[in-house]
Amino acid sequence: MEDELEDKIFYQTFVAHMKILSKFTLGVPINTGQINYLWRIIRYYILKPEFIVLGILLVFLFIYLEAVDIWSRSMLGKIQLSIFRQSSSADKWQQVLPLDDITRFSWESQKGNVAAYALQGRRSKMEDRFVINENIDDTGVSLIAVFDGHGGEFAANFARDNLMTSLNDKVIELKKIIAQGLHKLYPMYTPNKPPPSPRPSQKSPKPSLRKNATTDECSGTKNSSSSQITDPELLSRINSLSRPITREVHNTSNTSSVVETVEISSYIEVNGKINYIKLVTDEVLLVDQRIVENAKKTYDVAGTTALIAILEGTRLIVANVGDSRGVMCDSKGNAIPLSFDHKPQQMRERKRIKEAGGFIAFNGVWRVAGILATSRALGDYPLKDKKLVIADPDILTFDLSDHKPQFLILASDGLWDIFSNEEAVNFIKQRLGEELFGAKSLTLQAYYKGSLDNITVIVINLMNYDWAKAAQEDRKKK
């Protein structure tokens, strides 16, 4: 009987409640008795302590979820910085520098319309390196590069001192051969045989750096080796293209030939232009072999990325190995990628690693064999034996007269961990008139936002570049 009575009371209450709601819906006035009745219902069902507590908990839950999203965007960098301080308290060089003191460990350079700024940041050592060789030997060719070392400074130093010097010397020599027409008369001309003209003896100019640190960590010492390679690695070599292109990606990881010395005239195309794709690829793979050979002798596991830009007239060639990155701001202010990162989780990289017998694992980020966060690099010899990591560059070629860019940005991943391509372009657009064309401001901003890596930024200012004149000169050369 009690259950039936409760059911009747609940039913009558529900019916009365629905009548009140219908009156509100239809706009019928409600008398005082109905309001009092509604208030009793609310007080009886809603204002119970357990219901109020549950409601408060739900409100706090929604506020918490919203706060987590905001915190993750704006406060995560600070939390990471705090953790970094605690985890590195045993080593004074790993202490995070105060923001007003960080420029003590920085390097900068400006040559003509190219400026660079590098910051050690929150790392214990500076393993980034950069090179600016503008208009080398009055050839009209500029070589600009960023090397982001990891596991030590050896590989980045070796690449900077040997790869860039070799490229510099070969460009000078090839330009001289072309100017004298020797590539037509002596198609197999090589400096190792009696040449019709003497080989230029000028060496690659060293980058002029104004260093603010008290110790010369960014310059390093030149590494060289006179020994012959006795254990050559199986690496890839580019299939050269003889046709001019405006933009194309060259993937060079489909062959397995060993890099050998080639005739220097083979880098000159039939139209008298330098085949930079073949030249850069051969040089990168050859230097990688030398790094691996030297590293094996000393058990040095260091590696480095390489981002190399060659600018000649309206031609831009960008070679990339690893996760340093370049981006162009075109005449309309759009961000156009100059390179694409080599990450283990990318489909083609993951497939290649798996076919080589390796694996990728997530350890903060996706890593090759759970170790290396980039799938391509120079050095890293423990991962080279089975070709889990390769040094084959991807090369993009641009005809800049099609884009008439305002500026180019080349940077190590210490910047790209914080900024997207579009964000970096928008930042520099407002600061081209600043010191170092905004490279310093962009680097410091990445630091302030929480970048935990070394940061190197190079800005190539092309705002005042005479594209019509450059295009006319290119047509004359054809």
Side-chain angles (χ1 to χ4, degrees):
M1 293 293 293
E2 292 181 357
D3 293 339
E4 293 179 358
L5 182 60
E6 287 180 357
D7 291 341
K8 289 180 180 180
I9 292 173
F10 180 79
Y11 175 75
Q12 291 173 356
T13 302
F14 175 75
V15 171
H17 182 63
M18 294 304 297
K19 287 180 179 180
I20 292 172
L21 290 178
S22 66
K23 288 181 179 181
F24 274 112
T25 305
L26 297 173
V28 178
I30 302 175
N31 57 38
T32 306
Q34 291 173 330
I35 295 176
N36 291 336
Y37 182 77
L38 178 61
W39 169 247
R40 286 197 302 271
I41 295 298
I42 293 174
R43 185 174 59 183
Y44 183 79
Y45 289 105
I46 299 178
L47 297 184
K48 286 187 175 182
E50 57 270 24
F51 192 87
I52 293 174
V53 171
L54 179 61
I56 292 174
L57 290 176
L58 288 174
V59 170
F60 274 104
L61 178 62
F62 286 123
I63 294 175
Y64 171 76
L65 292 175
E66 182 66 21
V68 165
D69 181 66
I70 298 174
W71 167 81
S72 65
R73 294 177 181 274
S74 62
M75 298 296 292
L76 185 57
K78 295 181 180 179
I79 298 298
Q80 289 175 328
L81 177 56
S82 175
I83 295 173
F84 184 82
R85 281 197 177 113
Q86 295 172 9
S87 64
S88 60
S89 58
D91 186 349
K92 69 177 182 178
W93 287 108
Q94 292 183 343
Q95 297 294 325
V96 178
L97 298 172
L99 295 182
D100 59 352
D101 197 33
I102 60 171
T103 54
R104 287 180 53 231
F105 295 89
S106 62
W107 295 261
E108 61 186 64
S109 177
Q110 181 169 349
K111 295 182 179 181
N113 65 329
V114 184
Y117 192 82
L119 190 67
Q120 180 172 320
R122 298 181 172 97
R123 286 293 180 90
S124 60
K125 292 183 178 180
M126 181 58 172
E127 296 176 340
D128 282 6
R129 300 292 185 267
F130 67 86
V131 175
I132 302 174
N133 290 346
E134 190 192 33
N135 191 20
I136 54 176
D137 202 40
D138 293 324
T139 59
V141 179
S142 296
L143 297 176
I144 303 156
V146 174
F147 301 99
D148 182 0
H150 49 261
E153 304 171 55
F154 164 69
N157 282 336
F158 196 102
R160 178 201 59 192
D161 295 336
N162 293 273
L163 175 57
M164 297 310 292
T165 298
S166 181
L167 281 174
N168 193 93
D169 290 347
K170 281 185 170 59
V171 168
I172 293 174
E173 186 159 8
L174 287 167
K175 282 293 184 179
K176 190 165 186 178
I177 294 172
I178 293 171
Q180 297 179 357
L182 298 178
H183 64 290
K184 298 178 181 178
L185 299 175
Y186 303 92
M188 297 305 292
Y189 165 77
T190 173
N192 297 324
K193 298 177 182 179
S197 60
R199 179 179 181 177
S201 60
Q202 182 176 349
K203 296 296 180 182
S204 169
K206 294 292 181 182
S208 175
L209 302 180
R210 186 172 70 208
K211 183 176 180 301
N212 301 321
T214 55
T215 58
D216 192 10
E217 290 189 27
C218 194
S219 60
T221 57
K222 184 172 182 179
N223 297 282
S224 61
S225 174
S226 59
S227 61
Q228 297 296 318
I229 298 176
T230 58
D231 183 20
E233 304 296 321
L234 291 179
L235 296 171
S236 301
R237 185 175 178 181
I238 192 171
N239 294 321
S240 61
L241 298 176
S242 59
R243 58 186 177 86
I245 57 178
T246 59
R247 177 180 179 182
E248 188 167 337
V249 180
H250 301 268
N251 182 13
T252 61
S253 59
N254 298 322
T255 60
S256 59
S257 59
V258 178
V259 176
E260 300 174 351
T261 303
V262 298
E263 298 290 345
I264 194 168
S265 61
S266 68
Y267 296 120
I268 303 176
E269 298 176 344
V270 293
N271 59 4
K273 288 187 175 183
I274 298 175
N275 188 335
Y276 289 110
I277 298 169
K278 178 179 172 61
L279 174 62
V280 173
T281 302
D282 284 355
E283 291 299 313
V284 167
L285 295 180
L286 184 59
V287 166
D288 177 61
Q289 286 185 338
R290 294 179 60 193
I291 291 175
V292 169
E293 180 69 17
N294 282 271
K296 284 183 176 180
K297 296 176 182 177
T298 58
Y299 300 101
D300 195 319
V301 298
T304 182
T305 69
L307 181 66
I308 304 169
I310 301 176
L311 184 60
E312 180 183 16
T314 60
R315 298 175 70 193
L316 173 65
I317 298 90
V318 181
N320 179 53
V321 181
D323 55 8
S324 293
R325 191 189 310 165
V327 62
M328 173 200 305
C329 176
D330 68 7
S331 58
K332 298 179 180 179
N334 299 317
I336 299 177
L338 298 179
S339 67
F340 296 93
D341 302 350
H342 292 133
K343 294 292 188 181
Q345 66 270 24
Q346 291 173 342
M347 184 62 69
R348 67 167 181 167
E349 296 296 284
R350 183 171 56 190
K351 180 180 178 182
R352 178 186 59 76
I353 294 167
K354 184 177 180 180
E355 289 176 350
F359 66 93
I360 65 173
F362 190 83
N363 183 12
V365 295
W366 287 103
R367 299 175 183 272
V368 179
I371 300 171
L372 190 62
T374 178
S375 57
R376 301 195 188 193
L378 281 71
D380 293 297
Y381 86 86
L383 299 172
K384 281 284 172 64
D385 286 337
K386 294 184 178 181
K387 298 181 68 175
L388 303 184
V389 172
I390 61 175
D392 305 68
D394 278 342
I395 301 178
L396 274 69
T397 305
F398 298 83
D399 186 341
L400 294 183
S401 61
D402 294 338
H403 305 280
K404 298 180 175 59
Q406 301 177 38
F407 57 86
L408 314 176
I409 303 174
L410 309 176
S412 61
D413 69 333
L415 173 71
W416 307 117
D417 288 343
I418 304 298
F419 281 85
S420 67
N421 288 358
E422 292 74 16
E423 289 170 342
V425 164
N426 290 334
F427 189 93
I428 292 295
K429 276 195 296 189
Q430 308 300 322
R431 294 167 176 83
L432 267 180
E434 291 184 3
E435 178 186 9
L436 301 175
F437 307 131
K440 181 176 182 179
S441 295
L442 183 57
T443 302
L444 294 177
Q445 188 68 14
Y447 176 88
Y448 296 147
K449 286 190 172 184
S451 177
L452 301 178
D453 204 349
N454 303 143
I455 311 168
T456 298
V457 175
I458 297 178
V459 176
I460 305 171
N461 186 357
L462 300 173
M463 286 294 291
N464 298 321
Y465 199 83
D466 192 341
W467 297 109
K469 181 179 179 181
Q472 184 178 6
E473 291 178 352
D474 283 347
R475 286 194 294 271
K476 288 181 180 178
K477 293 177 182 179
K478 292 180 181 180

